[in-house]
């Protein structure tokens, strides 16, 4: 019997090629979308999940206050790990880590390595990064030892064994012995190293202090540790420790699960974090697109039920039961879904490289071959088949054969209300996706075009090492001579992301009343090179840099404050200049005030900021005129090789670094745009199929109207009108939903757009235009048909 059912189903699908094509196209496109999104979500949800001890690994967050505002950071100090190892039996092991940029040289090969890490010797015991060569317990035991990944080993040593060989690291060309080779880091790891050196190599970092927090600290807790109880013990312990640091000082540490960092953490990490909101939105998009395809199938199958009514009547007359008829039509649905799935696998294979490029991921189809994925795919196919095919199958299996064979079933309006409802649902989804995409794109446009208070265009940012610091004035002078270079400046942080945490106070304030600020060591050219606006006082001078380079307790600093810092200290812009200020152990005067600028992500409000003179620098900024940029870069590279021969010429543009801060939002916009277009195409397929069928059903009515004098536009309007009303209803439902959904996402930004009515009107207009375009062709084609042919049988 089942063989007969398959034959009949296949024959029916071949007979109605147009509707079969529409259904397979819709299902394959939607399943392709689902599979691509599933690969992406799997990658995000399994981030850091490959570590065998992952459920016991936590990153420590620092929470502190010095008589003022409470602050939290993922950066911790060197004392945290050894102190907790001594005092808490719950702690099995700890590891401190730092990510830096180091110049690495071997013979004639040397490169700037941006994924150079330092870590305690426990690193390979806590984390599950496989060592291909070397002993996990000893590779980082001694100073000046380093482990390379496979790729890094091949880059420097080719096919030869690197273990035991020496690499020259950093500006001082310190020799580091290669003690091991690790497998390349997985793509779904927030720790992605090429080199990992022993933490003991950082001599100055061995001093134990709770402040000077420049490292990330991870704890491996023992089995059975109660996290709430452990956290309470930390709080009690740190209350006593804080008293030893001084009065009105609050310090606490909060464990953050390793597997929560990538999607849930709002704190800085080794790479930009993603967002669980982003993942949830993509999951919703996959489900919505799949619903559109299913609704299209239901609509077309229900619309064609009148055509197949006689088939059902004949089959029931010769003995077929309701169950057999139901199975027949569910089998057709299953065949269509299976065909769509096969096509979608081919499409995923073809589209995955482009999707990886779009999302900057390394997704692999291997995930789909895992038993869990295969079982999930089978369940998904069954659900799609049942969801899409159940209603049409139930409608057709319930037909009364006598009524059908008499022909009276043609007068029925069965399923008409459902068809209208499904069209509305399809366009609710489509309008929702269009309006959401428009809002996200406008927020990204706002981010890119917002006046940040500094100039980031045509500014090259280059890493600096200690050897360059010693010759900074000479290097700057030489680079300024390059045609096209307007200004050269140095600082610890570029203005796109200033992270340094400090505290300031007025001389009359007690130490426990200090105000937390961000601060950035800069040179005298920083303000000019970045285009900051001084609204009171003066800029720093070369003499200010020279003054603080002297030794002794009589050093006098000159500070530049932003407006927020001035207000936090209780001053005004007019009277703040020349006021005395103390920042840590630095004493001096306020020399100038700059207008507030966004020195952090637009997710965060502008805070209090201090710029102070120092030779302690990490980046150099080269401001160019933007004319003939390629020639300027070539000339700069030649000059660089002359004045900085020990370091490769590498740079990033400041606006590129700024854009990297919004990688997750940019990816969301691109992916949502892609799948919104797909949703539109799927909705169009459904409309074309349904409008074709409606036109066929109304062919005699159209013939009569033409005979009675109706024009082409009148008839076209008659067919289009019923669909336009459905789209208008869908827009009324979808637009408030889109506003509600995106407003939650926008709340994550301190600086954001307020979506205006024009965005929602544009989304609705797009839906109307799409409907007219899809329906008009069939409507006009039906209106131009010869009425004699359509009425000949009457």
């Amino acid at each position: 019997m089942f063989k007969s059912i398959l034959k009949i189903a296949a024959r029916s699908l071949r007979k109605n090629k147009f509707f079969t094509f529409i259904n397979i196209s819709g299902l394959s496109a939607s399943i392709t979308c689902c599979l691509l999104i599933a690969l992406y979500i799997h990658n995000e949800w399994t981030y850091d999940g490959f570590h065998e001890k992952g459920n016991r690994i936590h990153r420590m967050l620092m929470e502190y206050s010095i008589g003022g505002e409470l602050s939290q950071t993922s950066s911790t100090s060197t004392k945290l790990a050894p102190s907790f190892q001594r005092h808490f039996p719950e702690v099995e092991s700890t590891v401190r880590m730092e990510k830096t940029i180091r110049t690495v040289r071997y013979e004639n090969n040397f490169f700037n390595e941006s994924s150079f890490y330092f870590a305690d010797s426990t690193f390979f015991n806590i984390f599950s990064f496989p060592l291909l060569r070397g002993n996990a317990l000893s590779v980082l035991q001694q100073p000046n030892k380093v482990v390379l990944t496979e790729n890094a080993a091949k880059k420097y040593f080719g096919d030869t064994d690197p273990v035991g060989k020496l690499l020259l690291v950093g500006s001082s060309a310190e020799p580091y012995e290669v003690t091991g080779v690790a497998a390349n880091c997985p793509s779904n790891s927030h720790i992605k190293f090429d080199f990992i050196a022993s933490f003991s190599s950082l001599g100055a970092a061995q001093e134990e202090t709770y402040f000077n927090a420049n490292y990330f600290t991870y704890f491996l807790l023992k089995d059975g540790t109660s996290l709430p109880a452990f956290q309470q013990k930390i709080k009690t312990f740190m209350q006593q420790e804080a008293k030893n640091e001084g009065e009105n000082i609050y310090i606490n540490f909060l464990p953050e699960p390793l597997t929560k960092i990538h999607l849930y953490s709002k704190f800085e990490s080794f790479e930009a974090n993603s967002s669980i909101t982003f993942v949830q939105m993509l999951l919703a998009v996959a489900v919505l697109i799949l619903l559109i395809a299913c609704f299209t199938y239901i609509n077309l199958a229900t619309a064609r039920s009148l055509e197949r009514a006689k088939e059902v009547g004949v089959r029931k007359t010769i003995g077929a039961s309701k169950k057999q008829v139901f199975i027949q039509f569910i089998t057709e649905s299953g065949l269509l879904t299976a065909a769509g799935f096969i096509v979608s696998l081919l499409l995923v294979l073809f589209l995955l490289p482009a999707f990886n490029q779009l999302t900057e991921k390394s997704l692999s189809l291997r995930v789909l071959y895992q038993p869990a994925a295969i079982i999930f795919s089978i369940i998904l196919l069954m659900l799609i088949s049942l969801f899409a095919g159940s209603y049409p199958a139930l409608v057709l299996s319930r037909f009364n054969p006598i009524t059908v064979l008499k022909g009276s079933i043609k007068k029925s309006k069965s399923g008409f209300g459902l068809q209208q409802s499904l069209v509305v649902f399809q366009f609710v989804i489509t309008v929702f996706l269009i309006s959401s995409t428009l809002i996200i794109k406008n927020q990204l446009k706002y981010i890119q075009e917002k006046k940040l208070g500094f100039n980031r265009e045509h500014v090259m940012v280059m890493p600096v090492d200690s050897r360059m610091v010693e010759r900074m004035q000479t290097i700057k002078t030489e680079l300024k001579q390059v045609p096209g270079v307007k200004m050269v400046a140095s600082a610890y942080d570029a203005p796109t992301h200033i992270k340094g945490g400090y505290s300031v106070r007025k001389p009359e304030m007690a130490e426990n009343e200090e105000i937390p600020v961000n601060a950035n060591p800069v040179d005298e050219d920083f303000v000019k090179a970045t285009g900051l606006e001084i609204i009171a006082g003066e800029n720093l001078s070369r003499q200010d840099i020279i003054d603080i380079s002297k030794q002794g307790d009589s050093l006098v600093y000159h500070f530049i404050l932003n407006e927020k810092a001035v207000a936090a200290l209780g001053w005004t812009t007019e009277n703040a200049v020349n006021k005395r200020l103390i920042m840590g152990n630095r004493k001096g005067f306020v020399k100038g005030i700059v207008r507030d600028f966004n020195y952090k992500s637009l997710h965060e409000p502008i805070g209090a900021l201090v710029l102070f003179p120092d030779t302690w620098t990490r980046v150099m900024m080269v401001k160019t005129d933007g004319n003939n940029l390629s020639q300027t870069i070539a000339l700069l590279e030649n000059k660089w090789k002359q004045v900085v021969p020990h370091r490769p010429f590498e740079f990033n543009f400041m606006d590129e670094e700024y854009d990297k801060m919004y990688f997750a939002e940019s990816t969301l916009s691109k992916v949502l745009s892609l799948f919104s277009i797909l949703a539109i195409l799927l909705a169009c397929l459904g409309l074309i199929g349904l409008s074709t069928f409606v036109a066929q059903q109304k062919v005699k009515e159209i013939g009569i109207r033409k005979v009675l004098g109706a024009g082409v536009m009148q008839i076209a309007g008659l067919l289009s009108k019923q669909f336009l009303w459905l789209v208008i209803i869908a827009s009324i439902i979808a637009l408030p939903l889109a506003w509600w959904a995106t407003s939650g996402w926008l709340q994550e930004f301190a600086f954001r757009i307020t979506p205006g009515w024009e965005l929602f009107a544009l989304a609705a207009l797009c839906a109307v235009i799409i409907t007219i375009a899809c329906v008009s062709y069939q409507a006009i084609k039906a209106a131009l048909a010869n009425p004699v042919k359509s009425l000949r049988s009457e």
Side-chain angles (χ1 to χ4, degrees):
M1 185 185 75
F2 186 68
K3 184 177 179 182
S4 172
I5 289 173
L6 283 175
K7 279 186 176 181
I8 295 169
R11 189 183 303 132
S12 175
L13 294 176
R14 284 198 304 270
K15 181 182 176 183
N16 299 278
K17 293 184 178 64
F18 179 67
F19 294 107
T20 300
F21 170 78
I22 287 179
N23 282 320
I24 290 179
S25 299
L27 288 169
S28 60
S30 61
I31 294 172
T32 300
C33 160
C34 286
L35 291 177
L36 290 173
I37 290 179
L39 289 173
Y40 186 92
I41 291 176
H42 177 270
N43 180 270
E44 294 291 286
W45 269 340
T46 57
Y47 237 81
D48 298 310
F50 60 91
H51 297 288
E52 293 177 9
K53 305 171 185 176
N55 62 327
R56 295 192 285 133
I57 302 174
H58 292 74
R59 181 175 72 171
M60 281 295 174
L61 305 175
M62 183 178 179
E63 185 177 67
Y64 66 96
S65 171
I66 308 176
E69 183 182 348
L70 186 69
S71 299
Q72 289 184 329
T73 177
S74 55
S75 298
T76 51
S77 64
T78 53
K79 186 174 182 178
L80 172 62
S83 175
F84 278 36
Q85 191 91 53
R86 290 191 294 264
H87 292 96
F88 292 97
E90 295 89 347
V91 177
E92 181 177 316
S93 188
T94 61
V95 59
R96 295 165 295 182
M97 298 175 63
E98 180 187 31
K99 181 183 179 182
T100 68
I101 300 175
R102 286 287 193 274
T103 303
V104 178
R105 179 188 292 270
Y106 180 73
E107 295 179 345
N108 295 324
N109 295 324
F110 72 109
F111 303 93
N112 283 335
E113 299 293 351
S114 59
S115 294
F116 197 104
Y117 286 67
F118 288 90
D120 281 314
S121 59
T122 52
F123 178 83
F124 288 103
N125 178 51
I126 292 177
F127 298 108
S128 300
F129 293 106
L131 270 178
L132 307 179
R133 298 289 311 277
N135 187 316
L137 297 177
S138 61
V139 285
L140 300 176
Q141 193 72 46
Q142 302 297 324
N144 289 49
K145 306 298 181 184
V146 65
V147 174
L148 284 63
T149 60
E150 287 180 277
N151 286 343
K154 193 167 187 65
K155 178 178 178 180
Y156 285 87
F157 300 101
D159 295 326
T160 61
D161 184 4
V163 175
K165 292 185 168 59
L166 295 179
L167 291 172
L168 302 180
V169 177
S171 57
S172 56
E174 282 188 85
Y176 278 65
E177 181 187 357
V178 179
T179 53
V181 177
N184 295 324
C185 297
S187 62
N188 59 343
S189 170
H190 84 282
I191 301 170
K192 295 184 179 76
F193 64 89
D194 292 321
F195 299 79
I196 192 146
S198 49
F199 195 80
S200 55
S201 308
L202 302 171
Q206 306 312 305
E207 179 187 355
E208 290 192 11
T209 170
Y210 281 120
F211 292 97
N212 296 331
N214 298 306
Y215 310 99
F216 293 98
T217 306
Y218 295 80
F219 279 31
L220 176 64
L221 301 181
K222 292 180 180 177
D223 279 322
T225 298
S226 169
L227 203 57
F230 178 55
Q231 195 163 323
Q232 184 57 46
K233 285 182 69 174
I234 293 174
K235 187 174 183 180
T236 304
F237 174 76
M238 290 309 303
Q239 285 173 348
Q240 183 58 47
E241 292 285 278
K243 290 179 182 178
N244 299 330
E245 297 288 334
E247 293 185 9
N248 290 334
I249 291 179
Y250 167 79
I251 311 173
N252 191 24
F253 293 97
L254 308 172
E256 182 180 44
L258 173 72
T259 53
K260 297 290 185 182
I261 292 174
H262 182 67
L263 289 180
Y264 295 90
S265 182
K266 63 179 181 179
F267 300 100
E268 187 176 358
S269 189
F270 290 122
E271 65 175 18
N273 291 332
S274 186
S275 166
I276 188 62
T277 304
F278 178 25
V279 171
Q280 290 167 343
M281 291 177 75
L282 283 183
L283 184 60
V285 167
V287 172
L288 293 176
I289 287 178
L290 197 57
L291 285 176
I292 289 179
C294 290
F295 290 164
T296 296
Y297 179 86
I298 294 170
N299 250 340
L300 294 181
T302 306
R304 290 182 57 238
S305 62
L306 298 181
E307 281 188 355
R308 304 195 64 180
K310 286 186 178 179
E311 174 193 337
V312 174
V314 171
R315 295 191 65 194
K316 281 195 168 187
T317 300
I318 60 177
S321 65
K322 280 185 180 181
K323 180 181 177 181
Q324 289 174 318
V325 175
F326 179 84
I327 292 173
Q328 175 67 56
F329 290 104
I330 282 292
T331 302
E332 289 185 17
S333 173
L335 286 175
L336 281 170
T337 306
F341 185 77
I342 293 169
V343 174
S344 70
L345 286 176
L346 297 174
L347 288 173
V348 169
L349 185 64
F350 176 73
L351 296 173
L352 190 58
F355 188 71
N356 278 334
Q357 187 175 2
L358 178 73
T359 57
E360 297 186 25
K361 293 282 186 182
S362 300
L363 306 178
S364 170
L365 282 175
R366 287 195 299 270
V367 175
L368 298 179
Y369 306 147
Q370 296 175 2
I374 293 171
I375 293 170
F376 173 77
S377 298
I378 293 170
I379 293 172
L380 180 64
L381 287 176
M382 292 173 64
L383 289 175
I384 293 172
S385 299
L386 288 171
F387 180 76
S390 290
Y391 180 80
L394 285 170
V395 170
L396 290 165
S397 64
R398 287 175 180 172
F399 281 162
N400 187 323
I402 297 173
T403 307
V404 168
L405 295 175
K406 282 183 177 180
S408 57
I409 192 72
K410 293 184 178 180
K411 308 293 184 182
S412 171
K413 295 184 178 180
S414 174
F416 181 69
L418 177 69
Q419 291 171 16
Q420 290 186 316
S421 299
L422 293 183
V423 170
V424 170
F425 285 145
Q426 283 182 314
F427 273 90
V428 165
I429 295 170
T430 304
V431 174
F432 174 85
L433 291 176
I434 292 172
S435 49
S436 298
T437 302
L438 289 174
I439 290 170
I440 291 171
K441 281 190 169 296
N442 272 269
Q443 174 64 17
L444 280 177
K445 183 181 178 183
Y446 170 80
I447 289 171
Q448 291 162 355
E449 296 180 355
K450 185 183 184 300
K451 301 296 182 183
L452 301 174
F454 65 90
N455 189 343
R456 66 180 190 271
E457 294 182 358
H458 310 307
V459 179
M460 301 164 65
V461 180
M462 305 171 180
V464 168
D465 59 34
S466 57
R467 286 177 65 181
M468 292 176 64
V469 170
E470 296 168 0
R471 302 177 54 249
M472 184 55 68
Q473 283 305 112
T474 302
I475 294 171
K476 287 172 61 176
T477 301
E478 291 290 331
L479 295 183
K480 284 179 185 176
Q481 295 175 5
V482 174
V485 173
K486 297 173 66 177
M487 186 73 64
V488 181
S490 64
Y492 189 78
D493 284 321
T496 49
H497 192 38
I498 297 174
K499 305 182 287 293
Y502 295 77
S503 295
V504 298
R505 61 185 175 92
K506 296 182 281 189
E508 61 268 26
M509 295 169 62
E511 287 188 13
N512 57 22
E513 296 176 334
E514 288 181 323
I515 297 167
V517 298
N518 289 109
N520 195 25
V522 300
D523 70 0
E524 71 277 14
D525 294 316
F526 178 83
V527 170
K528 292 180 181 177
T530 55
L532 299 182
E533 181 184 353
I534 293 182
I535 56 177
E538 299 176 349
N539 186 20
L540 298 175
S541 66
R542 180 62 195 159
Q543 190 61 43
D544 294 326
I545 307 293
I546 295 172
D547 287 346
I548 59 93
S549 65
K550 300 173 184 176
Q551 301 297 318
D553 297 329
S554 59
L555 295 183
V556 177
Y557 280 79
H558 289 96
F559 303 103
I560 293 181
L561 277 60
N562 72 347
E563 295 170 281
K564 283 288 190 300
V566 171
L569 287 161
W571 296 328
T572 64
T573 303
E574 292 74 20
N575 66 19
V577 177
N578 294 324
K579 292 283 188 181
R580 294 176 63 197
L581 186 68
I582 300 172
M583 186 173 72
N585 60 356
R586 299 174 178 85
K587 299 178 181 180
F589 297 86
V590 177
K591 187 172 186 179
I593 312 296
V594 294
R595 192 173 300 284
D596 283 342
F597 66 97
N598 293 95
Y599 63 88
K600 287 187 178 181
S601 162
L602 295 184
H603 288 280
E604 302 177 53
I606 297 174
L609 176 71
V610 177
L611 304 176
F612 63 97
D614 210 313
T615 56
W616 182 34
T617 184
R618 198 172 60 169
V619 295
M620 184 166 61
M621 289 151 286
V622 178
K623 173 67 177 175
T624 69
D625 58 16
N627 299 323
N628 203 351
L629 202 54
S630 58
Q631 181 180 340
T632 301
I633 292 172
L635 294 172
L636 268 172
E637 184 173 9
N638 291 333
K639 180 65 72 173
W640 183 275
K641 290 176 180 177
Q642 297 172 25
V643 297
V644 194
H646 72 279
R647 191 176 186 94
F649 177 74
E650 289 184 5
F651 66 91
N652 288 316
F653 282 106
M654 191 181 291
D655 51 1
E656 292 175 345
E657 293 194 346
Y658 175 76
D659 291 340
K660 285 179 184 177
M661 296 166 64
Y662 307 99
F663 172 75
E665 290 80 7
S666 177
T667 303
L668 174 62
S669 175
K670 289 185 286 189
V671 172
L672 201 58
S673 298
L674 174 66
F675 292 128
S676 293
I677 292 170
L678 177 59
I680 292 169
L681 293 176
L682 289 174
C684 288
L685 275 176
L687 268 182
I688 290 169
L690 197 56
S691 60
T692 300
F693 187 80
V694 169
Q696 290 174 356
Q697 291 295 103
K698 290 181 176 288
V699 66
K700 290 185 171 62
E701 177 186 342
I702 291 170
I704 293 170
R705 287 179 178 273
K706 287 195 71 174
V707 170
L708 295 176
V712 172
M713 296 310 297
Q714 287 177 299
I715 295 172
L718 173 70
L719 292 175
S720 303
K721 184 169 63 176
Q722 67 184 85
F723 290 104
L724 283 175
W725 274 113
L726 297 179
V727 171
I728 292 170
I729 293 169
S731 299
I732 293 170
I733 297 170
L735 295 179
L737 290 174
W739 175 85
W740 171 78
T742 52
S743 61
W745 178 77
L746 288 172
Q747 290 300 318
E748 296 180 5
F749 294 87
F751 299 87
R752 54 185 178 267
I753 63 168
T754 301
W757 64 268
E758 63 278 0
L759 281 178
F760 298 107
L762 179 60
L765 181 62
C766 287
V768 170
I769 292 172
I770 290 165
T771 304
I772 293 173
C774 291
V775 176
S776 292
Y777 172 75
Q778 291 298 333
I780 293 172
K781 181 180 176 182
L784 291 174
N786 188 343
V788 175
K789 291 182 179 179
S790 60
L791 296 174
R792 184 176 296 164
S793 61
E794 294 296 323

